[in-house]
Amino acid sequence: MEPLLEVQNLHVWYRVYGGYSKVLNGVNFLVNKGERVGLVGEAGCGKTTTMKTILRILPDQVSKIAQGKILFNGQDILQMNGNALQRIRSQGIAMIFQDPTAALNPVFTVGEQLSDVIRFSLRSIAQRKVEKKSIKQVAMQALKDVSMPDQERILGTYPIQLSGGMRQRVCISMAITTKRELLIADEPGTSLDVTIQDQILRLLHELVKQQNTSIILITHSLGVAREMTDRIYVMYAGTMVETAKADELFANPLHPYTLGLLASVPKLTGGGIAKGIPGRLPDYRNPPPGCRFSPRCPRAMPVCEFSPPPFFDVGYEHKVACYLFQESRND
Amino acid sequence: MRIGPFLLRRLLLSFFVLIGISVLIFVIARIVPGDPARMALGPRAPQEVVDRLRKEMYLDKSIPEQYFYWIKGVVQGDFGKSLYSKRDVSADIMEYLPATLELAFLSAIFMVIFAIILGVLAARYRDTWVDTVIRTMSYLGVAIPAFVVAVLFLLLFGYVWPILPVIGRYSAWIVPPSPVTGFAGLDSLFAGNFSAFWDSFKHLLLPAFALALGSIFQEARITRSAMVDNMNKDFLAAERGYGIPERVIMFKYLLKPSLIPTVSVMGLDIASLMGNAFLVELIFNWPGISRYGINAMLNKDLNAISAVIIIFGLIFVVVNIIVDLIVAYLDPRIRLSGARGS
Ligand SMILES: Nc1ncnc2c1ncn2[C@@H]1O[C@H](COP(=O)(O)OP(=O)(O)O)[C@@H](O)[C@H]1O
Ligand code: SF4
Ligand SMILES: [Mg+2]
């Protein structure tokens, strides 16, 4: 399989009062062409930050990309100039945001926002002006593709006039209106009730199948990740701690954090993740220098305190960032 | 766009506000000691003449009836006679109001243009010297009233660096066009007199700028902070992420939501321009209605005072409606409140 997106040793910090909040601490992960990748981890572990860094849409005044590479089709997004970046955004990667209410501009109509998304992606593809009418056609089609009825009317509405589920669909339509190579879905439907969340996920599933794009699906439901993705990454406090094929991960979970997650699965349906693991995420302003899970880890050893564990390959495309597996093949 | 009911509500409200103002003014004018008829005719007029005028002015009727007759006149533009100029107050108003409207209009234009440009610059170059200068100026703007700026301009452009006229509406060598509208610019244009147009425009610049300056910087600050607040919003990250170019993000998707607080404050500032114009008119010897109003107060010229206050109230109300419409245009959340989805 050919790699599409490779994130290498990514460190991202936020400027906070009195210093830096060192959120991402050497993120490594890989998405192959056509692959569906799940990303799981409790709220605040840096999933959204990682994805925003990939598109270079972090709030630039308060954030700092301290180190790392983000290779998309072999080219480093972090080194790109305006035009190349523009091409990545309009044709390469699109993101569906976590909170559809916050992701839609409250003072523009759905049609206005959707049309601009279409206009600027088309223009860079064909370097030609697309007529108003055909843009509208594409916009209506995009709404149809996300099963929105009455597209003509929806184009003229403002976000506040729509229900949460409809806003989520509008957000998805913006991301899929022109085909991208990679779709990032950040906890789609989490803010909605369970039935609607279900509909949204099924819709996404269909779209990804139809368009044959790669997808990164962020979710805090391990069940959803298992059902909808080929491979899963488990993230904790700014690093990927484990990755494997979905089935392999469930059959043979290795990292103590993943074990904790799975142990708490029955409690997951209602509330947040990791209720079963005592303790909280570390303070990013002053994180533990070694394994960031060590303060909560039931199996922590002295070696865990010094430097963060790299990925250890345990075979079957299964990797674990934990010193317990240091003895296995390391490459 | 459900702008109809919104407008209707605002118009109704404004109507009651104006009725309120007129009642208040009328009652105050009648409570003030002294017989208006006697004051109009002077102490030496014979009693029967005064009585005849009292009857003409309905002063022998009850107060509500008096109000009715007075307001009937006001609606028709008849504010009675000025005790001081001995002319119809409406004639005085026709003469002085356009000069002030002209001044306020240009001030408002200055505010809109400069407040937005400076606000965008301060946001774009936040935490640099550009931002610092604008912030400092806005603090000064709060502390220094318009008339001090006017005096400074007068000194600067009257003596040190005389590139702009500082007195009146026209230069002495210009023959003013015959007043049709009363607006110097329009009248000059109607008369095809371009040198008069240019001359009157130059006369307008300094007073209008002095009047606008303090507000410009405060409004720029408001624009700046709204923009900086919105800059980190997810919707901008999303729009950027979908490949919309930076200039469209900045001047469309960021600017529009950020202008909402600016327009509200600007509306208040513009509505109070007329009242604030008084000292500026005095300093630049501008023959405007604010100066006329203050003189009327000093002379206890009740009809003139009532007229000026009613006209100021009317302008205040009209400007507010316009501002509300602009805000409603900018912010669908206001326009659509009541028609909210789930
Ligand atoms: N703009 C910001 N300024 C400072 N800290 C931030 C900012 N955005 C996110 N963070 C912090 O970064 C951490 C990771 O956040 P996020 O990436 O949103 O996590 P997730 O998506 O996994 O819930 C959190 O501790 C959050 O408080
Ligand atoms: S590296 Fe050490 S502390 Fe971290 S998860 Fe493994 S055993 Fe626990
Ligand atoms: Mg998130």
Side-chain angles (χ1 to χ4, degrees):
Chain A
M1 271 202 281
E2 232 183 305
L4 177 64
L5 176 79
E6 270 182 279
V7 177
Q8 295 175 356
N9 194 28
L10 186 65
H11 292 252
V12 173
W13 301 351
Y14 288 108
R15 233 159 257 146
V16 291
Y17 182 74
Y20 282 104
S21 178
K22 300 180 178 177
V23 173
L24 296 193
N25 188 41
V27 168
N28 288 296
F29 90 116
L30 169 73
V31 179
N32 286 311
K33 286 201 169 143
E35 196 176 27
R36 300 173 303 169
V37 169
L39 179 54
V40 208
E42 69 198 89
C45 72
K47 305 180 293 292
T48 303
T49 302
T50 310
M51 298 307 138
K52 284 187 175 171
T53 314
I54 292 172
L55 278 166
R56 299 234 325 242
I57 51 174
L58 285 171
D60 59 344
Q61 285 293 301
V62 297
S63 67
K64 176 179 161 146
I65 300 170
Q67 224 193 103
K69 275 189 184 158
I70 297 174
L71 304 178
F72 187 73
N73 284 322
Q75 294 196 303
D76 191 351
I77 293 180
L78 296 181
Q79 304 298 328
M80 279 180 188
N81 62 18
N83 282 339
L85 187 61
Q86 180 77 12
R87 211 156 35 242
I88 294 287
R89 288 169 175 175
S90 55
Q91 293 157 50
I93 307 173
M95 175 160 170
I96 298 160
F97 279 66
Q98 191 166 352
D99 176 359
T101 304
L104 292 171
N105 198 316
V107 303
F108 289 91
T109 60
V110 168
E112 185 78 34
Q113 300 182 56
L114 194 49
S115 303
D116 267 352
V117 171
I118 295 164
R119 181 173 304 121
F120 291 108
S121 62
L122 286 178
R123 186 176 280 171
S124 45
I125 287 174
Q127 295 298 318
R128 69 188 151 98
K129 267 208 157 83
V130 180
E131 283 174 31
K132 257 206 159 107
K133 213 170 137 202
S134 62
I135 287 184
K136 192 176 171 192
Q137 228 85 76
V138 178
M140 303 245 292
Q141 185 59 44
L143 290 179
K144 210 170 177 176
D145 288 344
V146 295
S147 315
M148 291 272 275
D150 210 357
Q151 299 96 11
E152 180 102 40
R153 188 183 63 83
I154 298 290
L155 286 180
T157 58
Y158 289 89
I160 57 153
Q161 294 170 283
L162 301 176
S163 69
M166 282 158 102
R167 280 177 216 163
Q168 181 68 265
R169 281 171 201 272
V170 169
C171 286
I172 297 177
S173 77
M174 288 190 186
I176 56 136
T177 170
T178 43
K179 186 183 173 324
R180 310 291 215 280
E181 285 177 86
L182 175 63
L183 199 60
I184 297 171
D186 192 354
E187 308 196 22
T190 317
S191 53
L192 309 171
D193 73 57
V194 187
T195 22
I196 298 182
Q197 187 176 346
D198 218 51
Q199 288 170 12
I200 297 287
L201 284 171
R202 223 166 311 139
L203 172 73
L204 260 181
H205 194 73
E206 284 305 310
L207 288 170
V208 170
K209 218 157 66 184
Q210 271 169 30
Q211 297 198 339
N212 193 27
T213 44
S214 305
I215 183 172
I216 299 173
L217 178 70
I218 301 179
T219 165
H220 51 221
S221 158
L222 279 162
V224 168
R226 180 181 202 174
E227 197 180 324
M228 284 191 54
T229 63
D230 308 315
R231 203 150 48 83
I232 297 178
Y233 275 89
V234 180
M235 188 168 191
Y236 181 79
T239 36
M240 298 300 170
V241 294
E242 183 163 11
T243 177
K245 292 262 184 231
D247 293 336
E248 159 76 9
L249 189 78
F250 278 87
N252 187 22
L254 296 176
H255 195 282
Y257 179 66
T258 315
L259 291 171
L261 282 188
L262 284 168
S264 63
V265 159
K267 298 171 207 151
L268 268 181
T269 32
I273 205 166
K275 290 249 173 68
I277 311 171
R280 292 194 288 123
L281 283 168
D283 178 0
Y284 288 117
R285 282 168 304 176
N286 189 17
C291 173
R292 284 191 170 183
F293 189 56
S294 57
R296 289 168 87 177
C297 181
R299 303 185 58 186
M301 309 165 283
V303 62
C304 306
E305 314 279 333
F306 296 108
S307 64
F311 263 144
F312 297 107
D313 198 329
V314 296
Y316 305 102
E317 297 174 54
H318 192 159
K319 294 180 188 176
V320 195
C322 170
Y323 287 118
L324 291 171
F325 303 92
Q326 195 164 13
E327 309 311 320
S328 349
R329 265 188 313 134
N330 182 5
D331 45 19
Chain B
M1 258 190 242
R2 274 174 224 90
I3 212 76
F6 177 79
L7 191 58
L8 196 68
R9 211 162 53 219
R10 297 296 296 138
L11 285 174
L12 262 174
L13 192 68
S14 309
F15 178 72
F16 286 115
V17 168
L18 285 177
I19 297 280
I21 294 176
S22 69
V23 169
L24 201 66
I25 282 303
F26 180 80
V27 169
I28 290 173
R30 286 298 175 264
I31 286 173
V32 172
D35 177 355
R38 169 60 71 190
M39 273 161 52
L41 294 170
R44 267 180 287 168
Q47 189 56 41
E48 67 264 26
V49 181
V50 174
D51 286 342
R52 199 160 353 115
L53 185 62
R54 284 183 60 85
K55 202 159 184 119
E56 247 171 64
M57 292 170 79
Y58 307 105
L59 291 175
D60 51 345
K61 300 273 193 329
S62 70
I63 292 273
E65 277 173 293
Q66 285 186 35
Y67 173 78
F68 174 76
Y69 286 114
W70 177 73
I71 199 76
K72 206 172 122 194
V74 165
V75 169
Q76 292 160 353
D78 176 8
F79 294 96
K81 283 222 181 323
S82 160
L83 302 183
Y84 187 68
S85 74
K86 310 286 183 209
R87 300 196 301 169
D88 277 348
V89 169
S90 51
D92 285 347
I93 300 238
M94 288 307 283
E95 183 176 340
Y96 297 118
L97 182 61
T100 296
L101 285 180
E102 214 165 61
L103 190 61
F105 184 69
L106 191 64
S107 270
I109 290 180
F110 281 154
M111 277 188 204
V112 172
I113 296 176
F114 290 110
I116 293 176
I117 291 180
L118 290 176
V120 171
L121 283 177
R124 176 75 187 71
Y125 300 104
R126 62 197 172 285
D127 306 326
T128 67
W129 63 270
V130 179
D131 196 14
T132 313
V133 167
I134 291 169
R135 182 171 37 233
T136 314
M137 294 299 283
S138 79
Y139 295 148
L140 290 178
V142 179
I144 302 177
F147 75 89
V148 175
V149 177
V151 170
L152 289 176
F153 277 7
L154 191 69
L155 291 175
L156 185 63
F157 293 99
Y159 299 98
V160 184
W161 196 32
I163 52 163
L164 281 173
V166 290
I167 297 292
R169 290 174 90 187
Y170 295 103
S171 304
W173 60 87
I174 294 283
V175 182
S178 57
V180 183
T181 60
F183 293 93
L186 287 180
D187 286 347
S188 319
L189 285 181
F190 284 152
N193 188 345
F194 290 103
S195 59
F197 174 79
W198 182 237
D199 186 64
S200 70
F201 180 72
K202 282 197 297 192
H203 276 80
L204 204 48
L205 282 176
L206 284 179
F209 209 69
L211 201 50
L213 198 66
S215 308
I216 285 176
F217 285 104
Q218 288 162 53
E219 291 154 10
R221 280 289 291 165
I222 292 168
T223 310
R224 183 253 187 219
S225 49
M227 287 184 84
V228 169
D229 276 354
N230 283 332
M231 251 172 206
N232 292 340
K233 289 272 165 72
D234 253 9
F235 57 77
L236 285 192
E239 282 152 353
R240 247 187 218 112
Y242 293 136
I244 296 177
E246 199 54 38
R247 78 195 132 79
V248 182
I249 299 279
M250 195 75 184
F251 289 104
K252 180 173 176 180
Y253 289 110
L254 174 57
L255 193 56
K256 189 175 173 192
S258 306
L259 280 184
I260 294 163
T262 313
V263 170
S264 309
V265 172
M266 204 181 267
L268 285 178
D269 286 350
I270 290 175
S272 17
L273 273 180
M274 310 277 297
N276 294 343
F278 156 63
L279 283 165
V280 172
E281 287 182 357
L282 207 63
I283 290 163
F284 289 102
N285 198 17
W286 194 261
I289 190 85
S290 293
R291 212 180 58 170
Y292 174 78
I294 297 290
N295 282 332
M297 285 185 202
L298 295 178
N299 295 322
K300 300 216 182 74
D301 188 347
L302 286 178
N303 284 342
I305 296 173
S306 318
V308 169
I309 290 178
I310 290 212
I311 284 176
F312 277 21
L314 184 68
I315 290 171
F316 196 89
V317 158
V318 168
V319 170
N320 267 306
I321 290 180
I322 294 173
V323 167
D324 283 349
L325 284 177
I326 297 176
V327 170
Y329 161 75
L330 287 174
D331 192 348
R333 288 164 294 189
I334 290 177
R335 186 168 3 128
L336 299 168
S337 58
R340 225 166 267 253
S342 81

